[in-house]
Amino acid sequence: MITSIIFSKDRPLQLDLCLSSIYKNFPDSTNNVVIYDHSPEFGSAYKKLTNRYQNVGWWKQSGSIFTDVLTAISSSPHDYICFFTDDDIVYNPAPKIDNSLFGNPAVTCVSLRMGVNINQRRMLGIWRPDLPLILLRASNDCICWNRSLHPYGSYWSYSLSLDGHVFRKDDIYFMMEELCLLESKYQWKQNPNQLESALQRFWTITDAFIVAPETSVVVNSPNNRVSSGISGPDEN
């Protein structure tokens, strides 16, 4: 089973869709924790969500999102941790995620947002091909590949993501523990973008293989327009 940590600020409608999609299409995620913050005008909407999803752990973001995540990981009863942002949608049933996928120590994560349908990306306003070089067959109808064969920045090399990526609890705990120790030195911003950027310091030392369903099951909602200054995945 899996603990999912979902980040949200000022986007209650997107969060509602994200949570409902997790419950519908990701049954392995049996422990869901929302780390959230909101401006005063969104308070009543988040209150409605807490009443609607009473099985969710609602954690008001503290002064350190890094410590919040470490605490959520530490308190998780499960061996695997998945991250989402509130504009993620699990739009198709996720594969069974268990030791059959993570039993190989060369696997660093399971990506629910990757698949053979992800074959191009937009860079500098231009759509460019972004294709896997060599795909292998994994269990549970999944695929896997060696991320180190792809240039850094390619979707196929990007393992440390907060958008529908599943990690071993022990692995992500090790990373977050170090980031918490470094936080006062670097004075990072308190949002998921900064957290994901900080995680990239571990890219070179994590294992080489990523596993994914053959066709991705997570997509970002197009309804993700936010104001500047928001503590969320679209902050400038």
Side-chain angles (χ1 to χ4, degrees):
M1 297 300 179
I2 296 167
T3 291
S4 289
I5 299 173
I6 305 107
F7 302 99
S8 181
K9 182 177 180 182
D10 287 354
R11 300 201 291 199
L13 296 180
Q14 290 92 327
L15 178 59
D16 186 16
L17 182 57
C18 176
L19 288 171
S20 65
S21 73
I22 290 172
Y23 279 105
K24 179 181 179 181
N25 288 323
F26 195 20
D28 280 355
S29 183
T30 58
N31 182 42
N32 300 302
V33 175
V34 174
I35 297 176
Y36 72 102
D37 196 8
H38 60 77
S39 302
E41 61 266 32
F42 293 101
S44 61
Y46 275 88
K47 180 63 176 177
K48 290 179 181 178
L49 289 181
T50 62
N51 292 331
R52 180 175 300 171
Y53 297 99
Q54 296 188 14
N55 291 331
V56 169
W58 293 92
W59 295 25
K60 193 70 163 29
Q61 184 176 321
S62 73
S64 170
I65 194 173
F66 294 83
T67 301
D68 293 338
V69 172
L70 182 64
T71 302
I73 294 170
S74 301
S75 63
S76 168
H78 300 139
D79 293 331
Y80 305 112
I81 303 292
C82 184
F83 292 106
F84 293 102
T85 54
D86 54 13
D87 62 341
D88 287 327
I89 303 169
V90 188
Y91 70 95
N92 270 333
K96 182 72 176 176
I97 298 175
D98 53 25
N99 196 52
S100 65
L101 296 178
F102 277 107
N104 188 333
V107 171
T108 191
C109 69
V110 174
S111 172
L112 300 179
R113 70 180 183 86
M114 293 301 296
V116 295
N117 55 315
I118 309 300
N119 52 35
Q120 59 180 333
R121 67 176 303 181
R122 188 176 177 87
M123 297 179 63
L124 301 176
I126 300 173
W127 286 101
R128 305 175 187 273
D130 193 7
L131 302 169
L133 295 178
I134 300 174
L135 285 178
L136 305 173
R137 180 63 58 182
S139 62
N140 293 349
D141 295 322
C142 289
I143 56 175
C144 64
W145 63 93
N146 187 334
R147 64 181 175 85
S148 66
L149 298 178
H150 300 81
Y152 183 75
S154 163
Y155 285 155
W156 296 90
S157 73
Y158 198 63
S159 52
L160 298 173
S161 167
L162 300 184
D163 287 304
H165 279 212
V166 186
F167 303 91
R168 297 180 186 87
K169 177 181 177 179
D170 291 345
D171 292 346
I172 200 68
Y173 181 90
F174 163 80
M175 298 180 213
M176 290 306 308
E177 187 176 42
E178 181 170 316
L179 293 181
C180 284
L181 291 173
L182 295 172
E183 184 180 10
S184 60
K185 175 181 178 180
Y186 291 102
Q187 297 183 340
W188 287 312
K189 296 178 182 178
Q190 299 301 317
N191 60 59
N193 260 359
Q194 185 72 82
L195 173 59
E196 186 171 290
S197 295
L199 282 170
Q200 303 315 308
R201 70 186 288 113
F202 303 103
W203 187 87
T204 58
I205 65 170
T206 49
D207 297 306
F209 281 83
I210 301 175
V211 175
E214 187 162 357
T215 301
S216 69
V217 300
V218 168
V219 69
N220 290 105
S221 169
N223 301 312
N224 63 354
R225 181 177 179 180
V226 295
S227 60
S228 61
I230 187 173
S231 175
D234 298 293
E235 182 182 24
N236 295 326

